[in-house]
Amino acid sequence: MSGNEDPGDDLKVTPPKTWATGLPGVAHALEYSLSQTSPRRTALTLLNINQAKGIDCPGCAWPEPAPGKRHRNEYCENGAKHINDEATSRRVTREFFREHSIAELDGKSDYWLNQQGRLTEPMVKRPGATHYQPIGWDEALGLLAGELKGLDSPDEALFYVSGRLGNEAAFLLQLFARAYGTNNLPDCSNMCHESSGSAMGETLGIGKGSVSLDDIHEADLVFVVGQNPGTNHPRMLTALEETKRNGGQVVAVNTLPEAGLMRFKNPQKARGIIGSGTAIADQFLHIRAGGDLALFQALNRLLLEAEDAAPGAVLDHAFIDSHTTGFAEFAEHARKVSWDDIDAATGLPREEIDELLGRVLHAKKIIVCWAMGLTQHKHGVPTIREVVNFLLVRGNIGRPGAGVCPVRGHSNVQGDRTMGVWERMPQPFLDALGREFGFTPPARHGLDAVNGIHAMYEGRAKVFLGVAGNFVRATPDSAVTEEAMRKCRLTAHISTKLNRSHTVCGETALILPTLGRSDKDFQATGEQFITVEDSMSEVHASRGKLPPASPHLLSEVAIISRLARATLGTELAISWEEFERDYGTVRDHISRVIPGFEDFNTRVQVPGGFRLPNPVNRRVFPTPSGKAVFTRNEFTMPYVPPGHLLLQTLRSHDQWNTVWYAPNDRYRGIHDARRVVLVNPADLTELGLADRDLVDLVSVWHDGRERRAAGFRVVAYPASRGSAAAYYPETNVLVPLDSVADISNCPTSKGVVVRLEPAHDSR
Ligand SMILES: Nc1nc2c(c(=O)[nH]1)N[C@H]1C(S)=C(S)[C@@H](COP(=O)(O)OP(=O)(O)OC[C@H]3O[C@@H](n4cnc5c(=O)[nH]c(N)nc54)[C@H](O)[C@@H]3O)O[C@H]1N2
Ligand SMILES: Nc1nc2c(c(=O)[nH]1)N[C@H]1C(S)=C(S)[C@@H](COP(=O)(O)OP(=O)(O)OC[C@H]3O[C@@H](n4cnc5c(=O)[nH]c(N)nc54)[C@H](O)[C@@H]3O)O[C@H]1N2
Ligand code: SF4
Ligand SMILES: [Mo]
């Protein structure tokens, strides 16, 4: 198992911060950047990140302001760390693989693997071998193609995509998978915002957020629910600061009092660096884990009662009547939700909910933003449907300053879905793809991430190709997932850096190293750029600026095109060679297949790119009825047996998903340790535990299998009662593969029932 190299027991705890960023943020970004690469390369990346002709930040999907309104330094501390983690001067060479056996690498931590630097040439592990050895590109891709061609059915292959991949490569990968004959395109969204897509698709007809940055700025009230923007979407704080300057309010709903939600010191402004900063949240609701469905049900009930008291003054009847269905059933149900249930689920004093209602009644334009604190619960989909109900009752959809805002994770995760990376793409997309390329894409749905793991485990899937992620560490139930991967005939990964997915190998394994976003990309027709779509549907170009990390790297577009050629030959009249020579030809196809991309190559030249239309903003709802749909959501809350806690697995400030940069979580006051579990002091007393006790986390699931994460320090922390928080991916071992959100099948990474046992081994 990994973790051997994790910091031992050097834990230092300081009081959680009550403000985010300011000068320390700038210093930390530079410190990490300079530990990875030269001052010159650091300057090059930082001057270009998020600029109109520059590199799209490989961090989160928060959008940039319009080109004219951009700051010279349009990035945050974490964006700087992410890009320089990629631009590192360190290299993983063939000598490195000769020196370290795969078994040895498998014992290293995620940190150690990432710190070795950029991958430089293709490597293969042959059946029975103990080490990776070099392999040429043609042979590597031929080997993978051979395995694919040898399968009994195309559905025995899986093609995993993470949201770091640009649009052009994503479009080609899904085209290749479908031309080959399968819809098995699991992606990181399956573990991320899948619940948002499911809930919004059903109720609004489109699984994307509706708001723009300008909407955030002009809203009267912005909810930030189950999200930690200070760490995960830092420039969102700049936008919320503007909301406040314009007279709007912000309400934070969280199980933890996150620093960025409380106060923000804008590092791009002198007064932000030295002043006391902007108080972000006008109200903070310290909710119980999984209590958000109940909170929005309470608000909806109170709004209906307020309407009874002042008919016509509270609800937007004109909107409800003309643009929605299901209101009567929803209202009848909402009136009956019980206060006992709401109290138990939210743990919030009634005065706080009343205070919140007051803010809602005063606000003409409301936006609800959310992230993993909602999506990764068993009842994530009904919770988000209830958020939609809440917005619909007062017509807060489809007008300026109002709407839904699922805040996406990876920089191009939304774009990858737009490009067709989804195991269940709708038939009109498949038809358009088939028409453009002259074949019939398979209609049967493919496997998502969780079902893909089941299939590998059971021998129904035998070849795995991962692109731009770290599947083994991103997925739940690490022990089961690792076993599943090891059963494959072949596992292959198109990656920039070493990670544990490379050390958990199938019989044969391939590492296919690629250019990163910051690398210049030259092909036969000259310098290329790629495109991405951010969380607010803005599509724009990204151009690398640094010399490639190694002369042996191929771009993702090149690798996928060559693999497709090696696998499919000239069976279909698809001009794979041309795609590699000129990415513009890929965009031409996209412009004919995907609505909203008409004239793609011209429009993407405009600095800042263009925004994809969202029909919801014209109050056109592409649902079967053509109307927005109110839903009836049964009350539910997590059941946690006595003596247990509901664990959420989350990100520290110093990590990018499965990769951590330093064992610190500055805003939460955790230093030099990652194996910590944050628990409310009152819960510790009840459990007979004390601050700094050493415990094992044991997850409780009905299959009787023991899932244990050993050796965690308890930290007394203002987590909401009954909950606990510990870092991902060390705790993924605790998330049972079958513990998934209803409807969306998203792993319940924020709702794992655990008990804390005194540690077996004393470290
Ligand atoms: N620096 C950095 N930035 C990132 C990432 C990263 O790893 N590092 N990852 C990117 C990706 S892929 C994603 S998806 C996003 C994730 O962005 P977030 O969703 O902000 O990420 P998490 O760390 O999972 O934090 C979940 C938040 O929800 C809260 N929460 C947990 N359970 C509940 C609940 O039941 N109710 C409520 N109301 N709150 C709850 C937690 O306390 C925490 O504040 O970030 C993106 N940005
Ligand atoms: N327990 C628990 N599990 C979770 C979550 C959680 O909150 N709790 N969050 C889930 C979420 S929201 C997500 S999005 C997933 C994230 O899952 P993934 O996206 O699969 O994981 P990452 O850590 O982002 O992947 C890092 C690897 O991507 C590769 N890479 C980086 N840049 C590039 C590039 O430009 N090109 C290519 N080809 N490769 C590149 C590098 O090799 C690096 O090692 O994890 C999920 N898993
Ligand atoms: S907010 Fe997100 S996209 Fe913007 S610079 Fe920071 S990490 Fe990058
Ligand atoms: Mo994500």
Side-chain angles (χ1 to χ4, degrees):
M1 285 301 296
S2 69
N4 312 2
E5 307 260 336
D6 282 355
D9 214 359
D10 303 326
L11 169 65
K12 284 186 271 312
V13 181
T14 53
K17 291 269 185 294
T18 50
W19 49 266
T21 202
L23 208 47
V26 179
H28 282 276
L30 278 178
E31 186 189 317
Y32 189 71
S33 301
L34 294 173
S35 79
Q36 297 299 314
T37 189
S38 65
R40 203 183 66 83
R41 283 165 68 93
T42 298
L44 245 177
T45 53
L46 295 186
L47 281 173
N48 277 293
I49 184 170
N50 289 335
Q51 297 302 325
K53 296 214 156 162
I55 314 167
D56 179 62
C57 174
C60 77
W62 189 256
E64 285 78 56
K69 295 189 194 160
R70 280 183 206 175
H71 198 274
R72 192 70 206 93
N73 297 311
E74 194 59 56
Y75 59 86
C76 69
E77 169 196 346
N78 280 342
K81 289 192 285 198
H82 305 325
I83 196 163
N84 284 312
D85 186 68
E86 175 181 299
T88 181
S89 302
R90 302 178 193 175
R91 297 290 178 267
V92 175
T93 58
R94 55 170 71 184
E95 288 74 31
F96 171 90
F97 286 109
R98 202 163 48 223
E99 277 165 30
H100 301 280
S101 72
I102 296 170
E104 185 193 338
L105 294 176
D106 199 35
K108 302 289 190 187
S109 71
D110 301 298
Y111 171 78
W112 190 92
L113 294 172
N114 179 57
Q115 287 297 317
Q116 302 315 302
R118 287 286 296 275
L119 297 162
T120 49
E121 62 178 317
M123 304 297 296
V124 64
K125 181 205 90 91
R126 311 257 181 208
T130 54
H131 288 68
Y132 273 106
Q133 61 192 79
I135 183 173
W137 276 108
D138 287 348
E139 197 193 337
L141 296 175
L143 209 153
L144 177 49
E147 287 290 346
L148 288 171
K149 285 192 277 192
L151 292 175
D152 289 339
S153 150
D155 288 334
E156 290 179 351
L158 297 172
F159 301 93
Y160 173 68
V161 176
S162 161
R164 190 98 160 215
L165 194 64
N167 285 330
E168 291 74 8
F171 183 80
L172 292 183
L173 188 80
Q174 64 81 34
L175 171 64
F176 165 56
R178 293 185 165 117
Y180 167 70
T182 183
N183 282 310
N184 284 350
L185 288 154
D187 65 355
C188 68
S189 270
N190 293 149
M191 298 171 274
C192 184
H193 266 292
E194 197 66 64
S195 304
S196 308
S198 297
M200 295 191 299
E202 179 188 344
T203 55
L204 301 173
I206 172 164
K208 293 186 185 185
S210 67
V211 307
S212 67
L213 216 41
D214 286 340
D215 291 322
I216 300 265
H217 296 158
E218 67 173 272
D220 296 328
L221 182 60
V222 179
F223 281 71
V224 182
V225 191
Q227 196 201 338
N228 179 22
T231 285
N232 296 318
H233 305 90
R235 280 181 315 127
M236 180 176 176
L237 300 184
T238 310
L240 294 175
E241 198 184 32
E242 185 153 348
T243 312
K244 306 223 39 173
R245 218 175 13 254
N246 295 340
Q249 296 195 337
V250 177
V251 167
V253 185
N254 205 298
T255 55
L256 300 173
E258 306 283 28
L261 297 171
M262 301 309 171
R263 191 167 279 278
F264 171 51
K265 296 187 186 184
N266 191 334
Q268 290 159 356
K269 299 210 174 82
R271 68 182 153 77
I273 291 181
I274 48 179
S276 59
T278 311
I280 294 283
D282 294 273
Q283 188 181 356
F284 170 59
L285 292 109
H286 199 186
I287 198 165
R288 278 185 165 236
D292 308 85
L293 171 64
L295 175 64
F296 282 94
Q297 288 187 315
L299 286 175
N300 287 337
R301 175 177 165 169
L302 290 169
L303 287 171
L304 290 164
E305 289 172 358
E307 172 75 13
D308 294 343
V314 176
L315 303 189
D316 185 343
H317 288 289
F319 173 75
I320 293 172
D321 293 346
S322 55
H323 290 292
T324 71
T325 63
F327 176 75
E329 297 82 349
F330 150 76
E332 192 208 338
H333 180 71
R335 286 174 189 283
K336 290 190 199 138
V337 54
S338 103
W339 282 109
D340 286 347
D341 282 347
I342 291 165
D343 293 344
T346 64
L348 295 171
R350 197 74 55 81
E351 309 82 74
E352 290 191 12
I353 299 182
D354 286 339
E355 184 188 332
L356 178 58
L357 176 73
R359 295 180 197 279
V360 170
L361 287 170
H362 272 100
K364 292 205 168 62
K365 297 173 281 185
I366 302 182
I367 290 173
V368 182
C369 304
W370 70 87
M372 299 302 103
L374 294 197
T375 62
Q376 295 176 337
H377 275 292
K378 181 163 192 324
H379 54 304
V381 175
T383 303
I384 297 161
R385 287 197 303 227
E386 199 63 29
V387 167
V388 172
N389 286 339
F390 166 74
L391 291 169
L392 290 177
V393 284
R394 295 192 10 115
N396 276 307
I397 295 268
R399 56 186 172 78
V404 276
C405 184
V407 183
R408 304 274 166 187
H410 268 292
S411 50
N412 195 39
V413 63
Q414 185 160 319
D416 289 345
R417 275 287 165 99
T418 308
M419 292 299 121
V421 174
W422 190 25
E423 73 282 355
R424 287 176 284 148
M425 277 312 273
Q427 197 56 45
F429 174 90
L430 298 177
D431 291 342
L433 190 72
R435 265 196 311 276
E436 178 72 11
F437 294 100
F439 74 107
T440 308
R444 65 190 172 282
H445 288 171
L447 298 169
D448 63 9
V450 165
N451 288 329
I453 295 166
H454 280 297
M456 288 189 281
Y457 195 87
E458 291 158 18
R460 286 181 284 117
K462 300 187 175 112
V463 174
F464 176 97
L465 172 64
V467 189
N470 183 3
F471 188 79
V472 163
R473 293 301 269 162
T475 41
D477 228 345
S478 311
V480 175
T481 300
E482 290 182 14
E483 212 180 318
M485 292 288 280
R486 291 190 204 280
K487 288 183 180 187
C488 285
R489 284 183 55 80
L490 183 144
T491 51
H493 303 274
I494 302 180
S495 317
T496 49
K497 297 190 80 178
L498 195 62
N499 63 45
R500 271 183 55 79
S501 295
H502 306 125
T503 70
V504 179
C505 304
E507 206 179 329
T508 302
L510 287 167
I511 298 178
L512 306 169
T514 189
L515 297 175
R517 263 249 188 112
S518 51
D519 295 318
K520 283 189 184 161
D521 184 351
F522 278 99
Q523 303 295 344
T525 60
E527 190 169 355
Q528 307 294 313
F529 64 89
I530 61 155
T531 62
V532 293
E533 174 186 344
D534 63 32
S535 200
M536 294 182 177
S537 305
E538 302 276 357
V539 178
H540 61 87
S542 175
R543 292 175 172 83
K545 298 289 171 189
L546 298 175
S550 145
H552 309 298
L553 300 182
L554 290 181
S555 72
E556 288 146 338
V557 166
I559 298 172
I560 296 164
S561 300
R562 292 185 190 190
L563 173 64
R565 245 159 60 203
T567 313
L568 305 173
T570 48
E571 224 173 274
L572 299 167
I574 300 178
S575 48
W576 301 105
E577 296 97 326
E578 197 50 32
F579 299 158
E580 178 180 340
R581 286 164 46 80
D582 176 3
Y583 300 178
T585 60
V586 184
R587 287 187 287 272
D588 281 339
H589 285 291
I590 294 172
S591 71
R592 291 189 292 268
V593 173
I594 306 176
F597 283 85
E598 296 76 15
D599 221 1
F600 193 2
N601 271 313
T602 315
R603 286 197 295 155
V604 79
Q605 297 293 347
V606 177
F610 59 94
R611 186 161 188 230
L612 292 173
N614 185 327
V616 164
N617 285 328
R618 289 177 285 118
R619 294 194 157 178
V620 171
F621 300 99
T623 57
S625 62
K627 295 189 170 185
V629 180
F630 277 99
T631 50
R632 265 178 67 128
N633 300 301
E634 293 308 324
F635 170 86
T636 173
M637 61 183 275
Y639 171 69
V640 184
H644 293 71
L645 298 170
L646 197 66
L647 174 77
Q648 65 152 321
T649 59
L650 79 180
R651 294 154 173 79
S652 79
H653 192 67
D654 260 322
Q655 85 182 69
W656 175 259
N657 293 330
T658 64
V659 173
W660 50 276
Y661 302 145
N664 301 321
D665 197 5
R666 206 166 77 242
Y667 294 160
R668 298 192 184 108
I670 306 295
H671 309 273
D672 297 321
R674 278 183 60 89
R675 295 185 85 83
V676 293
V677 57
L678 314 182
V679 184
N680 189 291
D683 287 321
L684 287 182
T685 309
E686 270 183 22
L687 294 171
L689 291 167
D691 188 34
R692 310 302 157 86
D693 275 358
L694 193 62
V695 296
D696 289 355
L697 309 181
V698 183
S699 97
V700 176
W701 188 247
H702 51 65
D703 61 2
R705 184 182 178 125
E706 185 183 273
R707 294 175 176 83
R708 179 182 294 266
F712 279 63
R713 282 280 162 207
V714 170
V715 175
Y717 196 87
S720 59
R721 288 299 306 273
S723 73
Y727 302 124
Y728 127 80
E730 289 86 341
T731 47
N732 287 37
V733 65
L734 297 169
V735 188
L737 189 57
D738 288 323
S739 178
V740 290
D742 297 333
I743 303 165
S744 69
N745 218 27
C746 176
T748 61
S749 302
K750 297 292 184 278
V752 186
V753 176
V754 293
R755 60 172 190 271
L756 276 46
E757 286 184 358
H760 278 356
D761 66 331
S762 52
R763 290 218 253 162

